[in-house]
Amino acid sequence: MHLLDFQGWSAERVHSILDSADIMREVLDRPVKKVPALQGLTICTAFFENSTRTRTSFELAARRMSADVVSFAAGASSLSKGESLRDTIETLKAMRVDAFIVRHPASGAAHLVARYGGLPTLNAGDGRRAHPTQALLDAYTLRRRLGSLEGLKVAIIGDVRHSRVARSNAELLPLLGAEVTLCGPAPLLPRELARPGVKLTTDPREAVKGAGAVMALRIQQERMAGGFLPSMAEYALSYQVNERLLAEAREDAVLLHPGPMNLDLEVSGSLARSERSLIGEQVENGVAVRMAVLYHLLVGRRE
Amino acid sequence: MHLLDFQGWSAERVHSILDSADIMREVLDRPVKKVPALQGLTICTAFFENSTRTRTSFELAARRMSADVVSFAAGASSLSKGESLRDTIETLKAMRVDAFIVRHPASGAAHLVARYGGLPTLNAGDGRRAHPTQALLDAYTLRRRLGSLEGLKVAIIGDVRHSRVARSNAELLPLLGAEVTLCGPAPLLPRELARPGVKLTTDPREAVKGAGAVMALRIQQERMAGGFLPSMAEYALSYQVNERLLAEAREDAVLLHPGPMNLDLEVSGSLARSERSLIGEQVENGVAVRMAVLYHLLVGRRE
Amino acid sequence: MHLLDFQGWSAERVHSILDSADIMREVLDRPVKKVPALQGLTICTAFFENSTRTRTSFELAARRMSADVVSFAAGASSLSKGESLRDTIETLKAMRVDAFIVRHPASGAAHLVARYGGLPTLNAGDGRRAHPTQALLDAYTLRRRLGSLEGLKVAIIGDVRHSRVARSNAELLPLLGAEVTLCGPAPLLPRELARPGVKLTTDPREAVKGAGAVMALRIQQERMAGGFLPSMAEYALSYQVNERLLAEAREDAVLLHPGPMNLDLEVSGSLARSERSLIGEQVENGVAVRMAVLYHLLVGRRE
């Protein structure tokens, strides 16, 4: 079993993982935050793209399940020596690791790793395509806070074009009964993402109207060189998620952000640190959700 | 409880840590150099400044206490993506680590980490301000060798201006009854460091007169671009700690150096490898002292 | 005891390690691939040259023996601050690690580490001189497949000049009864390597005639700037190990490659992935052989 994206997944399967995450959250509240579930197994984090934050979350999740973790970072690797992805993965597999957690700048790379390795594979972000554990932790954070996602309106605002977080959430949340509205400046809002359960708009006010949750996406300033935005200041003026914009949403609407944040660019600092922000809980839940996913991939394999 | 610097510390509290270090030294002499004291706890080394050597010492200390260690290195991190220190620390805290070991190029950063994280925090060096475990291991090395620091004269020679090692020793050693003399070329010797128990002089002969211990500070050649020194050769001529200079100290005076050394620049190679050098013991004691500090921060929290 | 190269080694000693590797292979076939042999010991991987692949293999081997592993990577280290190899090794030793696994760009550096550290030292590649565990895993792979190396002809083809893999195999395989032929373009084939059991030729057809095993060496393209080869295409035309060349060898001849491969440069992709390729087994056996070596160095010390 893999977690590459949510194609072919049922709501039941997702809820079964989120139920396990409930148990893992309890583990994290204990003084000794460890269970022996994956003892003796070795998990390989194969990161072909830098992300200390995500790698740390996965590594903590794996260690708290008592797995051994071996880190393969591509910057320091034979990749720079021209080795193919297939050879790298076959080599790591031959060293007898038990699962891959892969991050890669190319869309679709996680599927290749799953095929080459033939081992349980967890997509930790591939290109602009998918980042499924981020969507799972977002869904879990909302379910935990609100009980259910059925009928919930979720606005996702920012650079949708380059965002795997937006794509994975647009795949997962409708599966759980939510309605997603993707919102950003026109050049950053690919029209092909519209489908049942997923609306598009360039108007942030329209996006948040009636929303119970608003997610601000990170602006990756290095991606803006391509001329997508006139200026950062202009972007913030129109699309920043702040108190003023949130006033148009449901009264009890909550704020999400996948992190790391550019404070006062895509989200206002005061809102990010307010009572309505679930950003800290997202990180906390991230570890629990990743523990649950690893459990399902590696222990639940028999199903 | 934190270890950020020695403000408000008593001699009793210091000696209590050094007494624990005695026990840890014995652990390090066993074939299996491990105790279960921190089993199940996760310690996060958050290094925003590169130091393999110090990080390795802390990591070994933590592992020998049976803690899990997760390394967060800023070079490879979201810091380069513009995230604030506060957000980074809050994120790591939300992942439920149990303590921070922090190194940062900015003076005072360790205090911020302690405040943002609300977790036991150990300063592994912040800017030019403090490096308290280095001072503790220096004190421990001297106490172990000499029995007591009461009335001991210690000369600290080199680039005092940029040295957190000098500042932390100037704070700690007088607390234990020693008299410190800081010595270096005038531009590298900030006059505000003088206070009861801490003298300043630009004359190395005067500094070592009657000293029972002489510490050479590392010259960081990259810091000398600012025009602090006419040349390295000139520095060595006047301030190198060597046999000739040590001949002016007490007959049984010992040599200390925080490492890594520029041999034959701030210290002569022959002296560094002589019987009078405690440099190897400093490293050895460094692991024991850090084990003791972790024990006091994490297990001794109840006090 | 060290493993630096095979000077002074007997065939018996080698076979005794390969016999242990047989046991370790069985461990790797179990669901829980771990033995407690090195519990409580700390192994330091001191890599002064980047190699994620080799480091990962050693790290997995050490962890599967239940050792703690501490990684000291020179890029991020005090080496760049001008510290000598001796001081680095003495510092790590003072931190009470139990063994060194060292990789270094300078030929002979592993011997220095063994001398400075006085601890069991395993050479993971030093300059162009030796890479003994690679030769051991090659020998093990051949012994496992063919039963014995007695009388076996082995052709090693490529950039022999810069290859520690070639040198270590030319040292080890004749010790086990094999005849080695080193082959490459004249500028890459140092004549001083010829000796009893080791022949040299610039003609790849001659090299593989009667060979039961053919090893293609990696072409390190960055080394070719020195004008050793007219072009990569020309090299491939004459020296690529492919089906056509292997047709001149024994009918059952097998293919080896130390990895990572430049597919369709020094070896054809189709051959590398054919039934005759033992490349995947080499990697797998690499972990088992390194476990066996660590066992002999650290547990078998009493002998």
Side-chain angles (χ1 to χ4, degrees), chain B residues 4 29 50 72 93 104-105 169 195 201 209 226 239 257 260:
Chain B
L4 305 174
D29 286 333
N50 216 347
F72 182 90
K93 186 197 181 169
H104 200 289
N169 270 298
R195 64 168 175 279
T201 175
K209 192 166 293 169
Y239 289 97
H257 189 295

Side-chain angles (χ1 to χ4, degrees), chain B residues 2-225:
Chain B
H2 309 299
L3 174 56
L4 305 174
D5 50 41
F6 298 107
Q7 288 228 323
W9 282 56
S10 64
E12 289 65 38
R13 191 164 171 199
V14 173
H15 279 299
S16 146
I17 288 180
L18 303 190
D19 292 346
S20 300
D22 274 332
I23 298 170
M24 301 308 171
R25 277 284 323 208
E26 281 171 38
V27 170
L28 293 180
D29 286 333
R30 294 185 204 154
V32 169
K33 305 166 188 69
K34 236 172 159 166
V35 288
L38 303 185
Q39 197 136 39
L41 296 182
T42 300
I43 293 172
C44 178
T45 60
F47 271 49
F48 300 93
E49 187 184 78
N50 216 347
S51 173
T52 307
R53 187 193 179 99
T54 303
R55 196 187 46 67
T56 301
S57 179
F58 274 110
E59 194 178 322
L60 280 169
R63 299 250 206 105
R64 281 168 179 164
M65 306 291 281
S66 301
D68 280 316
V69 180
V70 62
S71 289
F72 182 90
S77 89
S78 50
L79 279 229
S80 48
K81 300 184 191 166
E83 195 184 30
S84 71
L85 178 62
R86 176 168 163 186
D87 285 323
T88 302
I89 293 302
E90 287 181 351
T91 297
L92 290 166
K93 186 197 181 169
M95 291 182 192
R96 298 290 182 91
V97 302
D98 297 291
F100 286 111
I101 297 173
V102 61
R103 188 172 192 116
H104 200 289
S107 301
H111 285 265
L112 292 177
V113 170
R115 197 195 313 154
Y116 296 146
L119 293 175
T121 299
L122 208 163
N123 184 0
D126 63 334
R128 53 181 79 175
R129 214 182 138 276
H131 189 0
T133 59
Q134 178 68 40
L136 279 174
L137 76 87
D138 292 334
Y140 179 71
T141 302
L142 292 172
R143 189 184 91 159
R144 197 174 147 89
R145 170 63 68 108
L146 308 169
S148 162
L149 277 72
E150 202 62 54
L152 181 72
K153 287 191 64 178
V154 181
I156 300 179
I157 298 176
D159 175 7
V160 173
R161 172 178 291 279
H162 297 102
S163 177
R164 47 196 174 205
V165 174
R167 279 179 186 70
S168 276
N169 270 298
E171 222 184 347
L172 179 66
L173 300 185
L175 195 65
L176 304 178
E179 289 170 46
V180 170
T181 304
L182 302 172
C183 172
L188 297 176
L189 195 65
R191 304 177 64 181
E192 66 271 24
L193 294 179
R195 64 168 175 279
V198 182
K199 274 188 275 189
L200 266 56
T201 175
T202 57
D203 178 354
R205 288 231 191 73
E206 188 191 320
V208 304
K209 192 166 293 169
V214 178
M215 181 186 301
L217 297 174
R218 172 177 179 75
I219 291 292
Q220 292 182 275
Q221 304 190 35
E222 63 278 20
R223 291 220 170 112
M224 292 306 130

Side-chain angles (χ1 to χ4, degrees), chain A residues 68 76 83 86 95-96, chain C residues 28 34 52-53 64 284:
Chain A
D68 281 317
E83 194 183 31
R86 177 168 163 184
M95 291 181 191
R96 297 290 182 91
Chain C
L28 293 181
K34 236 173 159 168
T52 307
R53 188 191 177 100
R64 280 167 179 164
E284 220 164 330

Side-chain angles (χ1 to χ4, degrees), chain C residues 14-91:
Chain C
V14 173
H15 279 299
S16 145
I17 288 180
L18 302 190
D19 292 345
S20 300
D22 273 332
I23 298 169
M24 300 309 171
R25 276 284 322 209
E26 281 171 39
V27 170
L28 293 181
D29 286 333
R30 294 184 204 155
V32 169
K33 305 168 188 69
K34 236 173 159 168
V35 289
L38 303 185
Q39 197 135 41
L41 297 183
T42 300
I43 293 172
C44 178
T45 59
F47 271 49
F48 300 95
E49 187 184 77
N50 216 346
S51 172
T52 307
R53 188 191 177 100
T54 303
R55 195 187 47 67
T56 301
S57 179
F58 274 110
E59 194 178 323
L60 280 169
R63 299 251 205 103
R64 280 167 179 164
M65 307 290 281
S66 302
D68 280 316
V69 180
V70 62
S71 289
F72 183 89
S77 92
S78 50
L79 279 229
S80 49
K81 301 184 191 166
E83 195 184 29
S84 71
L85 178 62
R86 177 168 163 186
D87 285 323
T88 301
I89 293 302
E90 287 181 352
T91 297

Side-chain angles (χ1 to χ4, degrees), chain A residues 25 28-29 31-34 50 52-53 55-57 60 63-64 218 260-263 273 280 283-284 287, chain B residues 39-42 68-73 76-78 81 83-84 86-87 91-92 94-98:
Chain A
R25 277 283 323 210
L28 293 180
D29 285 333
V32 170
K33 305 167 188 69
K34 236 173 159 166
N50 217 346
T52 308
R53 187 191 178 100
R55 197 188 46 65
T56 301
S57 178
L60 280 168
R63 300 250 206 104
R64 281 170 177 162
R218 173 177 178 75
M261 292 183 280
N262 297 299
L263 282 186
R273 296 197 167 120
V283 176
E284 220 164 329
V287 177
Chain B
Q39 197 136 39
L41 296 182
T42 300
D68 280 316
V69 180
V70 62
S71 289
F72 182 90
S77 89
S78 50
K81 300 184 191 166
E83 195 184 30
S84 71
R86 176 168 163 186
D87 285 323
T91 297
L92 290 166
M95 291 182 192
R96 298 290 182 91
V97 302
D98 297 291

